[in-house]
Amino acid sequence: MASIPGTAPQAADQSMIEFRGVHKWYGDFHVLKDINLVVRRGERVVVCGPSGSGKSTMIRCINRLEEHQKGQILVDGIELTSDAKHVEAIRREVGMVFQQFNLFPHLTVLENLTLAPIWVRKMPKKEAEELAMQLLARVKIPEQAKKYPGQLSGGQQQRVAIARSLCMRPQVMLFDEPTSALDPEMIKEVLDVMIELAQEGMTMICVTHEMGFARTVADSMIFMDGGQIVEVAPPKEFFANPKNDRTKLFLSQILSH
Amino acid sequence: MVTTAPSRVHLAPTRRVAPWRDVRLRGIAAQVITVGTVAAVVIYCAHNAIVNLEQRGIATGFAFLRREAAFEISSTLIDYSPASTYGRALAVGILNTLLVSFLGIVLTTIFGTLLGIARLSSNWLVQRVTGWYIEIMRNTPLLLQLIVWWDLLRVSAPLPREAFKPLPGVFISNRGLNLPIPVWQPVYLWMLAALVAGALATAVVAQRMHRRQELTGKQFPLVWTGVALILGPPLLLFLLAGAPLQLEMPVLQGFNFVGGESVTPEFAALLFGLVAYTSAFVAEIVRSGILSVSKGQTEAASALGLKPNWTLRLVVLPQAVRVIVPPMTSEYLSLTKNSSLAVYIGFPDFVSIANTEANQTGQVIEVIAILMAVYLTISLTISVLMNFYNRYVALVER
Amino acid sequence: MADLAQMQGRPLEHAPLRAWQWARTHLFNGVLNTILTLLIVYAFFRIVVPVVEWALVDATWSAESDRACEAAGGACWAFLESWGRFIIFGRFPYAEQWRPALVLVLFVAMLAVSARPGVRGRTLLAIWIGGLVAVGALMWGGFLGMPYVETELWNGLPLTLILALGGVGFAFPIGIVAALGRRSKLPAIRWLSVAYIELIRGVPLITLLFMASLMVPLFLPTGVGIAKLWRAEIGFALFFGAYLAEAVRGGLQAISRGQYEAADALGLGYWRKIYFVILPQALAISIPSIVNLFIGAFKDTTLITIVGIFDVLQDANTGLNDPAWRHAYVEAYATIGMIFFAFCYFMSRYSQYLERRLRRTGTGPRRK
């Protein structure tokens, strides 16, 4: 279970991601307020909350797409600082899937997947291509390898994006609202891939509104509001018995329709 | 309620980041290296330049601006003679460039806009002819066009002795256009003041009448009132003073005209050439600006009962203007810079005079520095002015 | 006059296409249009017809001097017979002129191949570098039995192309670096880039050519000379570099932030990110601007006449100085005009085609 430090004993070497007293400001706006969090290896965490609550910002701090001003972030024991080598090492181990897919439109699907392994992990081309084909098969679209992203549907593109991150053999996968930009009929295919990934034991932090998915997959639910972590609980408890009033309000809003 | 428990007891000590791996320090290092390299190159070039200049016995510094110029300039807006200083010669050049640029910009805006609208005409012939004009102007070099204009004006015009006389006192020959110019009378100053006062008065009346229209809906014949206010008083003053008008006529003396105002063929060629060329580009800008206003706008305006004239004025043009202004600014700048081609056809613009001075004094670096500084100032001024206008007409968006 | 709906592109309702109906709607609708139509037709007969007579009907195609043309009263295309070759090739040794001719063909071929849709970045680069090397080899000579020809004698049309393409070619690295520098977070680099770009864009090309022509020799160590051609190339490269930087910057801005982030998230690092992900997209987007820049560059090469280099314009003037052909200036300038028009017109058509294609296919993920 994702825990707030100090509430339960845990082995330090099992922690994958740690936030210690993390604060972030955009100018005067205090967007992350004292975030404390430990995510252990193999845990699946779903983060939810109203828009502007800082959930995307929090996970983007993990791979340094955003910089935090105060506190510490550790990924697999490596601290995230302005040390270039640390940042590089962390980005190799952390994969990210974006809401807007962000596939490289001028490269084929296969090239999208093999670009980073070849140039960052220094894999020989053949090996990278074999790995890429394996992963494409896993997300169930091996036949699209030679196509360009513009020729694929949204659901297919997002699955390619997931495969692209997996090609780097990351230890953690971050998902930033992966299905929010998809037409409803394509959400399921992407969620299925994510569920499979979770069942294989990948450590995941997922920002999403898909509560069905959360109930199936998550080990912990985190509710964020106004830049703070308001509530942490396993899904059963979270949905049935939210302790905080803000959590109750939020759940009532999104579960009503 | 969830409380955030205090951080764990054994915090891993923050390791000091090795300096060569710190992103911030790397950034500073990169900047230092870049600036250093640029500085090194500059110093190297400067050193070579100093050595070379010494060898050729060329002075440095701007003292040459006070020396006597000893060359003649054919078109001057201010008094100048070969006994004037180099500095004054440059001033003449700058004024000439500004004159050509200003007139060029005004004429291009008018002609280019008309061309652009004509390009959208429903008359097939008009559309085609303007289209061909634009294509030819845009696809041939400006220098070539200037040469053609210049030759045309010089070669096809008659000798001064047989000058073409469309009006008394107006002569067209291969020396250019010679016009009579009124001798300055004291009452002209009052007339100018009256003109300015009339313009201000019109502005005030316009504002009042707009307010009145907003409140009561009554419309006001602003155009006619404005004309009366601006032109009336000066005309009245003129008549009251006894209509003093004394023209200084150009008179043929020897091979040229003396007296009056003259417009050299070089100036005319430069002006017409620049206007003809740049108007083609402006026409395209205006055309795409008008087209960019979506059809829905015109249809909505028609549905509201607005006549086409009003639609154009109130709905299409204001929106088109927003799209047109930025590229139009580029064209203005372009025209100003293109006026430098005057050096080839012998019109004494700023570049041309600077070139002469650089050749005479050998102080190339100083002259080019002045050249670039002046052009940069002109460009910046035009950009800033257009930026103001742009902000003034910009859409207020969410 | 201008029907507003017509302006906005709404097609007029299609009446049966009889000539008179068409003329009524397109030529004579309204008083103003009728007057204009009549004016244009009148001008056509008064201006165009005599010009065509002069240019084609009464023209002399072969003669010894312009006196013969004067007798015929028409255009003196015979001027081209005597001087045409000089206008195109200038003072390049007569016997070796097959070399610049080949260079012309090579350039056209390179442009044609680059225009084909299937060509990708790496191939394009290879073609151009290979082509430029071949051009250099042909023009300089000095091997395989081809005598060496110094750059002073490279004149006329091949020179125009070398300057335009070389200038824009060398401008590429400068422009790309300046564009990236302008977007850098490091202040010193950003200010240097902005200073370069705004300084160059604020001054006329002629000042840069003067600068390059007169000042570069001063900046080199005493005794080291540099051919006029290279000075002009430096001037052009610096000039177009600034404009290219703005064009590429437009492309860089058009790329969504997500692309940068995705590349960062994959751990690619700055230079790899720029080379593999950002630049290919930015350049693709800015191609129409770049082609327009090149068209402008092509026309701007005429300015080298002012710094004393023999391009087509200067060659034509040399021809006109020949006492036998002093009066043939109209024909000379018309020829040069037509050469430029041909090149520029087709290039601008191509640029419009590119713009249409880019707009249709789009460069981002198709959002359904």
Side-chain angles (χ1 to χ4, degrees), chain C residues 25-47:
Chain C
T25 37
H26 288 93
L27 294 175
F28 297 110
N29 57 333
V31 178
L32 184 57
N33 274 346
T34 315
I35 297 179
L36 285 172
T37 307
L38 292 173
L39 265 175
I40 294 180
V41 171
Y42 175 70
F44 182 80
F45 281 108
R46 285 280 293 184
I47 299 179

Side-chain angles (χ1 to χ4, degrees), chain C:
Chain C
M1 153 181 116
D3 180 75
L4 206 58
Q6 182 67 12
M7 265 199 238
Q8 295 284 310
R10 273 202 294 123
L12 289 178
E13 276 146 18
H14 260 301
L17 224 66
R18 257 171 278 152
W20 179 236
Q21 294 270 21
W22 182 90
R24 276 209 72 164
T25 37
H26 288 93
L27 294 175
F28 297 110
N29 57 333
V31 178
L32 184 57
N33 274 346
T34 315
I35 297 179
L36 285 172
T37 307
L38 292 173
L39 265 175
I40 294 180
V41 171
Y42 175 70
F44 182 80
F45 281 108
R46 285 280 293 184
I47 299 179
V48 176
V49 173
V51 166
V52 171
E53 266 180 26
W54 171 86
L56 294 174
V57 177
D58 296 331
T60 323
W61 298 91
S62 178
E64 285 301 318
S65 85
D66 55 7
R67 245 170 293 281
C69 308
E70 265 172 79
C76 217
W77 301 120
F79 170 70
L80 291 179
E81 193 193 33
S82 307
W83 284 97
R85 197 156 154 165
F86 185 81
I87 291 183
I88 305 251
F89 295 118
R91 296 170 299 164
F92 205 90
Y94 197 82
E96 302 293 317
Q97 280 182 358
W98 61 271
R99 282 154 58 182
L102 195 56
V103 164
L104 284 177
V105 171
L106 209 64
F107 272 132
V108 173
M110 277 157 67
L111 285 169
V113 170
S114 309
R116 288 185 49 207
V119 181
R120 286 190 64 180
R122 303 299 137 75
T123 344
L124 208 62
L125 204 63
I127 292 177
W128 280 97
I129 295 186
L132 282 174
V133 168
V135 165
L138 278 171
M139 292 299 281
W140 263 308
F143 62 97
L144 279 189
M146 296 191 288
Y148 173 76
V149 178
E150 52 170 356
T151 56
E152 265 290 311
L153 298 178
W154 299 7
N155 300 150
L157 199 55
L159 179 70
T160 303
L161 281 168
I162 291 177
L163 274 173
L165 285 167
V168 174
F170 290 129
F172 256 99
I174 300 176
I176 291 179
V177 167
L180 290 172
R182 190 163 183 166
R183 287 172 58 92
S184 166
K185 288 194 216 85
L186 305 171
I189 296 185
R190 196 171 58 238
W191 285 118
L192 274 176
S193 308
V194 169
Y196 163 69
I197 294 175
E198 293 305 322
L199 212 88
I200 301 279
R201 273 160 45 103
V203 299
L205 175 57
I206 196 77
T207 32
L208 276 162
L209 286 178
F210 277 148
M211 200 173 87
S213 195
L214 300 171
M215 275 167 62
V216 169
L218 283 180
F219 290 151
L220 292 172
T222 330
V224 174
I226 177 171
K228 264 199 246 170
L229 175 67
W230 300 120
R231 285 181 250 164
E233 279 281 36
I234 292 177
F236 276 121
L238 283 176
F239 187 73
F240 295 129
Y243 286 86
L244 201 70
E246 285 298 281
V248 173
R249 188 169 80 112
L252 289 172
Q253 278 176 316
I255 299 178
S256 69
R257 236 182 92 198
Q259 292 288 307
Y260 291 88
E261 292 182 347
D264 282 335
L266 285 171
L268 276 173
Y270 182 76
W271 291 108
R272 296 226 171 87
K273 172 174 66 177
I274 296 290
Y275 183 69
F276 285 110
V277 178
I278 303 299
L279 264 189
Q281 296 185 59
L283 289 175
I285 297 177
S286 10
I287 283 182
S289 316
I290 296 179
V291 174
N292 278 329
L293 193 73
F294 176 68
I295 297 176
F298 191 67
K299 290 186 291 175
D300 285 339
T301 53
T302 45
L303 267 70
I304 50 175
T305 325
I306 303 183
V307 289
I309 299 184
F310 270 74
D311 76 323
V312 276
L313 202 56
Q314 192 71 307
D315 291 344
N317 280 332
T318 314
L320 289 174
N321 281 332
D322 182 346
W325 299 103
R326 191 157 283 142
H327 297 282
Y329 48 87
V330 178
E331 292 82 351
Y333 295 140
T335 313
I336 297 178
M338 283 190 284
I339 295 176
F340 274 98
F341 185 80
F343 262 99
C344 295
Y345 185 72
F346 284 113
M347 297 227 65
S348 67
R349 273 276 167 277
Y350 173 61
S351 155
Q352 285 168 12
Y353 158 74
L354 272 179
E355 255 178 297
R356 273 199 308 269
R357 240 192 61 199
L358 273 170
R359 235 181 296 138
R360 249 188 296 131
T361 59
T363 48
R366 185 96 19 94
R367 208 69 36 89
K368 291 261 181 87

Side-chain angles (χ1 to χ4, degrees), chain B residues 15-47:
Chain B
R15 280 198 311 271
R16 296 243 350 192
V17 183
W20 66 89
R21 302 200 328 198
D22 189 328
V23 168
R24 288 170 306 209
L25 284 182
R26 275 191 186 177
I28 296 180
Q31 292 178 79
V32 167
I33 294 178
T34 316
V35 173
T37 319
V38 170
V41 169
V42 169
I43 293 176
Y44 177 71
C45 290
H47 171 79

Side-chain angles (χ1 to χ4, degrees), chain A residues 4-256:
Chain A
I4 291 158
T7 55
Q10 55 250 326
D13 54 273
Q14 267 207 312
S15 81
M16 198 61 226
I17 297 183
E18 277 188 54
F19 277 70
R20 295 177 184 162
V22 172
H23 293 257
K24 179 175 170 59
W25 288 266
Y26 278 134
D28 282 335
F29 178 53
H30 198 172
V31 60
L32 290 179
K33 300 175 185 156
D34 197 25
I35 306 288
N36 290 285
L37 183 62
V38 175
V39 177
R40 305 209 332 271
R41 196 180 292 275
E43 257 190 273
R44 284 96 59 175
V45 174
V46 168
V47 182
C48 62
S51 75
S53 55
K55 29 189 222 296
S56 286
T57 313
M58 183 181 77
I59 68 167
R60 285 154 63 94
C61 282
I62 298 177
N63 65 356
R64 204 71 169 168
L65 286 181
E66 305 277 357
E67 277 178 38
H68 61 284
Q69 275 87 37
K70 196 166 157 202
Q72 292 173 303
I73 301 181
L74 284 92
V75 177
D76 201 11
I78 308 173
E79 189 184 344
L80 198 54
T81 59
S82 56
D83 185 328
K85 281 284 181 291
H86 283 191
V87 175
E88 282 169 32
I90 287 175
R91 283 184 174 167
R92 278 199 293 270
E93 303 306 326
V94 174
M96 186 159 201
V97 176
F98 298 87
Q99 184 179 1
Q100 303 294 343
F101 334 143
N102 291 334
L103 291 179
F104 305 136
H106 59 296
L107 301 175
T108 61
V109 163
L110 192 64
E111 287 165 348
N112 261 278
L113 265 61
T114 56
L115 182 66
I118 293 176
W119 294 99
V120 181
R121 287 218 186 268
K122 316 273 195 266
M123 247 190 238
K125 188 165 170 207
K126 245 183 131 251
E127 201 182 311
E129 285 184 354
E130 272 171 27
L131 176 62
M133 289 309 295
Q134 267 177 38
L135 286 166
L136 279 179
R138 216 166 119 189
V139 298
K140 309 216 181 22
I141 38 174
E143 70 281 359
Q144 310 288 354
K146 296 293 186 177
K147 293 222 182 122
Y148 285 90
Q151 299 170 289
L152 273 58
S153 76
Q156 290 171 324
Q157 289 187 49
Q158 192 63 299
R159 284 187 277 158
V160 170
I162 297 176
R164 180 176 67 174
S165 302
L166 290 176
C167 264
M168 289 292 283
R169 297 232 172 278
Q171 313 252 15
V172 187
M173 283 288 279
L174 304 174
F175 292 87
D176 188 0
E177 306 214 30
T179 54
S180 299
L182 291 174
D183 288 336
E185 63 267 20
M186 294 190 258
I187 295 182
K188 182 175 182 307
E189 62 196 57
V190 174
L191 289 179
D192 284 342
V193 167
M194 288 165 68
I195 293 173
E196 253 185 57
L197 204 58
Q199 283 165 348
E200 286 164 11
M202 170 68 78
T203 317
M204 287 165 62
I205 304 184
C206 196
V207 174
T208 184
H209 297 298
E210 296 290 328
M211 292 304 148
F213 166 77
R215 260 192 262 251
T216 317
V217 146
D219 292 321
S220 300
M221 298 289 303
I222 294 181
F223 174 67
M224 277 184 76
D225 190 13
Q228 294 173 299
I229 295 184
V230 172
E231 189 163 339
V232 181
K236 268 214 319 242
E237 213 181 295
F238 185 82
F239 287 111
N241 223 351
K243 294 197 185 59
N244 191 297
D245 283 336
R246 284 190 277 175
T247 322
K248 288 188 195 148
L249 180 61
F250 176 71
L251 284 175
S252 72
Q253 284 170 337
I254 71 163
L255 292 177
S256 58

